[in-house]
Amino acid sequence: MHPVVIDVAGPSTRKALIGAAVALALGVLGLVGFASSGGLALLLIGAALVVLGLLPLLAWKKLSRPRRLVVEAQGVRWDDPQGKPWAVAWGELGAVAVSRSLDAGMARRSAPRTFLRLDLFPGDPGFAARHPEMAHLLRREDGRYRLPVADTFAPLPVLDGALRQAAGPRYRGVVDEQITIGLT
């Protein structure tokens, strides 16, 4: 099996840049409106949007760093050279699954948000001691390690196919989680 690589950084970096550009444009419009007609609200909103638009640019190095999920015959690994990389052999896992969920938005008025995550279930109690670099992924309530993969379902077919091929009987498949955030 050839390694399957899912680029996690690319889509999130593009979305951050688009959001920053929109916030900056609206902020500048608010400041221009304040300069031409006054109004403290325009000044405050414009300044807040400019600051919000500048945040991704100030955090550009961290935001744009390469991050990849790699599924291969030996196991699964998180390739994050400037962050917290890790690798887990299939033999260390009791199970692996992909969870997906859809948040319909507050009172169904906002656009739905999607969540795609890789769930790793340790095969033995010594897993945490062998992988302290993964402690930030541990869900204490059920002992699984959860890696956010994407905020879209687009990589799901590739990830599902790679796990079916590489993880074998450890793979539980895609699990639909019903969650709702906000008012319903």
Side-chain angles (χ1 to χ4, degrees), residues 4 6 8 68-72 75-78 86-88 90 93 95-101 115-121 134 137-139 144-150 156 158-160 162-164 167 170-175 177:
V4 174
I6 298 173
V8 176
R68 294 174 201 88
L69 177 63
V70 182
V71 178
E72 51 198 347
V76 61
R77 65 185 160 92
W78 179 245
W86 50 263
V88 176
W90 295 122
L93 297 173
V96 61
V98 174
S99 62
R100 68 178 174 186
S101 54
F115 302 94
L116 186 65
R117 297 169 297 254
L118 178 67
D119 292 326
L120 305 173
F121 299 85
M134 295 176 67
L137 300 175
L138 177 62
R139 287 178 35 136
R144 82 177 72 181
Y145 289 75
R146 177 167 270 183
L147 175 72
V149 175
L156 180 59
V158 173
L159 181 58
D160 181 56
L163 290 170
R164 285 183 189 284
R170 288 179 180 82
Y171 184 48
R172 292 184 180 173
V174 178
V175 178
E177 294 182 343

Side-chain angles (χ1 to χ4, degrees), residues 40-58:
L40 185 60
L42 283 175
L43 173 65
L44 294 175
I45 292 171
L49 286 171
V50 166
V51 169
L52 187 64
L54 290 174
L55 287 177
L57 302 177
L58 295 172

Side-chain angles (χ1 to χ4, degrees), residues 56-67 82:
L57 302 177
L58 295 172
W60 180 250
K61 203 170 196 177
K62 182 173 183 166
L63 182 66
S64 65
R65 76 184 195 275
R67 294 178 309 277
Q82 300 165 2

